[in-house]
Amino acid sequence: MGEPPGRTPGRLDELASRAGKWLGRSAAAPERHTAAVVADRFDRITWRDTYEQSAGLRDVAAELNERYRYTTDLLTDVFLAAYKVGPRLRERAEMDPSRLVNHQVITSLVESLEFAELRRETAGDPYAAAMAVLAQAAALRGMLERSRSAQERAERAKQAQQDAEGAADAVGEALQQAADEADWSNGVGAPAADAVQQAIEAAETADAAARQAAQDAAQALAAAPGIRAAARNAAAKAARAVREEAALMRAWGVGSGELERMPFDQRARLAERLRSGRLARWAELIGRFRQMAGGERARKVENATGELVGVTLGDDLSRVIPSELANLGLPELRAVFAARYAAGELMLYDSQGEQATGQGAIIACVDTSHSMYEAGPGGVTREAWAKACALALLDQARHAGRDFVGVLFSAADKIKVFRFPSGRPAGIARILDFAETFLGGGTSYQAPLTAARELLEEEFNDTARTRGDIVMITDDECGVTEEWMRGWNDAKHQLGFRVFGVAIGAPRAAETGSVLEALCDNLRSIEDLTDVHAAADLFRVI
C-alpha cells in the first residue's frame, strides 16, 4: 500500500535519533522546590506546630494570601531562616519558577547583617522566630507588592516550563506510536513519521519560549525596586522587637527556662500583658531595680554589723585586727593570744550600723493613694518607683528563702494583700496582679501596718519564726492613735521585727518627729525617682 503524496516515510532509528534530545526530558529535569530554605522533617513539624498555635501567623497568612500567591511558603521560609542555627538556601535553579520571588526575598534577608543579628535572638526559639515573622509582615507585604510584575512573569515562566515539558512528553508519545507501527525492517509510515517531526518542532518552539520566559522573569526580578533595602530594614525591625520583648521578660523576672516551658499562646498573652499593662512603660526601671538589688546581694556580708568606727575588745575572731593575728605567727606569743581570747580581751574592729538580716517574712507596704500617681524628676511616677522597689524586695525574699507579702493600701478601708510563700513558685500572673493593682483614695498607716503585724504574728504562731522585716513605702504623712501605737510597740517587742521607711518625695514624712519616723527603725527619703541606688542599703540589710 503506497504512501499519500507529500508524505515521506522514515526509519525508526532515524526518528529516534532526531527525537533523542526530548526523550525523557521531563523525567530527567531537576526537582523543583517550593521552599527556599532547606529543612528536615523536624523543622517542618516545628513550623506546623507554631503556625497552628499562633493566631497572629494565621492572620498574616490569610491577609497576604488574599492579594498574593504562595505567601504561606514565604512565611515558612522566613520562620525557618530565623529559627535554624545555620539556615541553608537552595540554589536559584532548584526553585520552582513560581517561587522565585520568595527565593529573592529570603535571599535578601539572609544575606543581610541585620538578619544575622536577628538570628542571635531567634535561633532555636520557635516563639521568637514567629515574633520575627510577625514583625516583618508589613515589610514582606511591601516587597511582594513591588515584585508583582516579577511574580506575573514568574508565573508565565512556570507555565512555559510546563508547556515545554508537555511538548517533550508528546515527542516520546509520537515516537512510541511510530514504533508500534514500524514494519519488520523498522520502516515507519509517513503519517507516523510526520507526527514525530511535528512533535519535535513543537518541543523546540516550547523550549525556546520557556527559556525566554525564564529570562524575562529573571530580568523583572532583578529590576524589582528596593528589595534588599526593605529586607535589611525588616530584619533590623524584627531584631529590635525580639530584643525588646526579651528585655521586658527579664525586667519582670521571667527567665529563659520558664519561657521555654511556657505554651506558645500563654507566652504570647503574657508578652501582650507586659507590653500593655499599667507599668509597661517602667519595665526598664523595674529591671534596673532588680539588677541593683542582685548586685547588693552579692556584696552583702551576712552577720556584719556595719561601718567600722574604731577598735574594741572582745572574742569575735571574724573582727580581730591584723596586729593581733600576727601574734599567732610567733610561737612564744600564741599562749598570750589564747589567754586574751579566753578572757575576751582581743583587739577587734568596732563597727556600727544595721543588725544582721532578718529571718521572718519580708512585707512591703506600698502606698497606692492618688498622690502616688504623680510623676517626679525624669517623669517616673511614685507608684512606678514603689512597685519596682517592692518587686526587687520580692526577689530578695525568694533568694533568701523567706516569705514575701505585698500589702497595697490607700484609705483605711482600701487594702489588698498578695502573699508569696517561699516554698511555692511566685507565678508571673500573680506578680503582675500585685504590680498593676492601684487602689486610689487617701492614705492610712494603721490599716496596712496592722495587716503586716497580723501576718508576722501568724507566722510566729505557725513556725515560731521572728525577725521579720516591714518596708513602708509612702509619699504621705498621716496620724495613728496612741492606743494603736502601744499595741504596735508591744508586737514589735514580742516579734522582733524591723521597720524600714521610704518617704518618696514627701519631706514632711521624713522629718524628725514625724509619725513615719516614729514608726520606723530606719527611714530614708527619696527625691530622685530615676536613681534606683537611693535604696541600695535596703538590700544590704534585709
Side-chain angles (χ1 to χ4, degrees):
M1 185 174 180
E3 297 294 335
R7 298 297 181 93
T8 305
R11 292 181 54 80
L12 183 61
D13 53 352
E14 294 174 352
L15 294 172
S17 177
R18 291 200 297 272
K21 175 181 177 181
W22 309 105
L23 298 181
R25 169 68 73 89
S26 59
E31 182 182 2
R32 303 291 181 170
H33 295 276
T34 57
V37 178
V38 178
D40 59 26
R41 180 168 62 93
F42 299 104
D43 295 330
R44 290 189 290 271
I45 290 174
T46 299
W47 160 250
R48 183 196 64 200
D49 292 345
T50 305
Y51 184 83
E52 290 175 354
Q53 294 175 50
S54 172
L57 286 177
R58 296 194 301 274
D59 290 344
V60 168
E63 189 256 325
L64 292 178
N65 281 330
E66 288 181 357
R67 302 187 61 185
Y68 312 103
R69 302 189 67 181
Y70 317 119
T71 52
T72 302
D73 288 337
L74 176 60
L75 296 180
T76 305
D77 281 332
V78 176
F79 172 86
L80 292 175
Y83 172 72
K84 291 175 67 66
V85 175
R88 182 170 68 85
L89 302 187
R90 302 187 192 280
E91 295 295 329
R92 185 188 184 91
E94 299 179 79
M95 296 299 297
D96 185 292
S98 64
R99 306 309 198 277
L100 288 178
V101 168
N102 287 3
H103 186 273
Q104 175 77 359
V105 169
I106 201 66
T107 299
S108 299
L109 281 172
V110 171
E111 290 180 350
S112 69
L113 293 176
E114 291 81 0
F115 203 81
E117 291 291 328
L118 172 63
R119 279 206 307 275
R120 294 178 184 175
E121 307 289 339
T122 60
D125 186 341
Y127 177 87
M131 264 197 70
V133 175
L134 296 175
Q136 296 174 93
L140 294 175
R141 188 183 305 111
M143 286 186 275
L144 291 172
E145 185 63 32
R146 286 191 287 272
S147 302
R148 270 189 181 278
S149 176
Q151 183 62 48
E152 292 171 358
R153 296 195 185 192
E155 295 285 351
R156 289 197 290 268
K158 178 178 176 63
Q159 184 59 53
Q161 182 187 72
Q162 292 175 338
D163 292 344
E165 291 171 355
D169 290 341
V171 172
E173 294 170 359
L175 185 63
Q176 182 62 52
Q177 183 65 33
D180 292 341
E181 296 179 5
D183 58 21
W184 60 272
S185 63
N186 283 333
V188 177
D194 190 52
V196 172
Q197 184 59 38
Q198 289 178 359
I200 291 172
E201 292 171 355
E204 291 174 343
T205 300
D207 183 61
R211 281 187 273 114
Q212 183 61 50
Q215 183 178 349
D216 292 345
Q219 291 174 347
L221 193 56
I227 298 297
R228 290 191 179 278
R232 290 196 301 270
N233 293 335
K237 178 181 178 182
R240 284 195 301 272
V242 174
R243 281 196 297 267
E244 287 170 2
E245 181 163 311
L248 190 63
M249 294 292 183
R250 288 193 298 270
W252 283 96
V254 186
S256 57
E258 184 178 356
L259 290 176
E260 289 173 2
R261 295 188 298 271
M262 195 176 293
F264 185 96
D265 55 347
Q266 181 182 345
R267 185 170 171 181
R269 288 195 301 271
L270 172 60
E272 179 58 28
R273 184 175 180 184
L274 293 181
R275 282 192 294 266
S276 59
R278 181 180 184 84
L279 298 180
R281 61 183 293 212
W282 307 119
E284 190 268 341
L285 174 70
I286 293 168
R288 286 196 292 120
F289 240 110
R290 283 181 144 147
Q291 186 177 18
M292 176 274 293
E296 294 302 321
R297 278 196 298 273
R299 294 172 52 193
K300 183 166 63 176
V301 178
E302 297 293 341
N303 300 319
T305 53
E307 180 184 1
L308 299 176
V309 296
V311 176
T312 186
L313 299 179
D315 59 0
D316 185 350
L317 295 178
S318 68
R319 295 190 287 133
V320 174
I321 68 174
S323 61
E324 287 278 31
L325 290 175
N327 292 336
L328 289 175
L330 301 174
E332 62 272 18
L333 294 179
R334 287 175 184 168
V336 175
F337 182 93
R340 295 180 65 180
Y341 172 67
E345 295 179 351
L346 291 174
M347 286 190 293
L348 313 176
Y349 284 123
D350 194 11
S351 61
Q352 65 180 12
E354 300 294 346
Q355 298 298 314
T357 55
Q359 296 177 346
I362 297 176
I363 303 177
C365 297
V366 181
D367 188 348
T368 60
S369 61
H370 282 313
S371 59
M372 288 290 286
Y373 194 67
E374 294 180 10
V380 180
T381 65
R382 297 172 181 180
E383 179 202 7
W385 193 97
K387 296 286 184 61
C389 183
L391 291 174
L393 288 169
L394 168 59
D395 289 346
Q396 191 87 344
R398 307 300 288 184
H399 185 268
R402 301 168 67 182
D403 291 350
F404 177 82
V405 182
V407 179
L408 304 180
F409 70 93
S410 58
D413 60 342
K414 291 186 177 182
I415 185 171
K416 191 159 187 180
V417 177
F418 294 82
R419 305 183 70 163
F420 298 90
S422 60
R424 304 176 196 169
I428 184 61
R430 182 70 170 164
I431 292 173
L432 286 173
D433 288 342
F434 166 61
E436 293 176 353
T437 298
F438 189 82
L439 302 176
T443 306
S444 168
Y445 285 175
Q446 290 187 192
L449 291 176
T450 298
R453 183 194 70 200
E454 291 172 349
L455 288 164
L456 292 176
E457 288 173 345
E458 177 185 333
E459 182 180 39
F460 175 75
N461 293 332
D462 291 343
T463 66
R465 188 179 297 134
T466 58
R467 292 176 57 199
D469 289 315
I470 298 173
V471 181
M472 182 76 167
I473 309 175
T474 182
D475 71 339
D476 203 355
E477 171 73 352
C478 64
V480 296
T481 66
E482 291 184 9
E483 181 182 0
W484 182 90
M485 194 69 177
R486 284 194 296 271
W488 172 258
N489 288 330
D490 290 343
K492 188 176 178 184
H493 176 74
Q494 177 188 3
L495 300 173
F497 60 80
R498 299 178 298 177
V499 184
F500 298 87
V502 182
I504 305 178
R508 287 191 305 112
E511 288 175 355
T512 300
S514 69
V515 173
L516 191 59
E517 185 195 39
L519 289 169
C520 298
D521 303 298
N522 182 305
L523 177 61
R524 72 224 358 96
S525 178
I526 306 297
E527 296 295 335
D528 183 359
L529 301 186
T530 63
D531 182 13
V532 300
H533 293 279
D537 62 315
L538 277 175
F539 300 93
R540 290 195 294 270
V541 297
I542 290 181

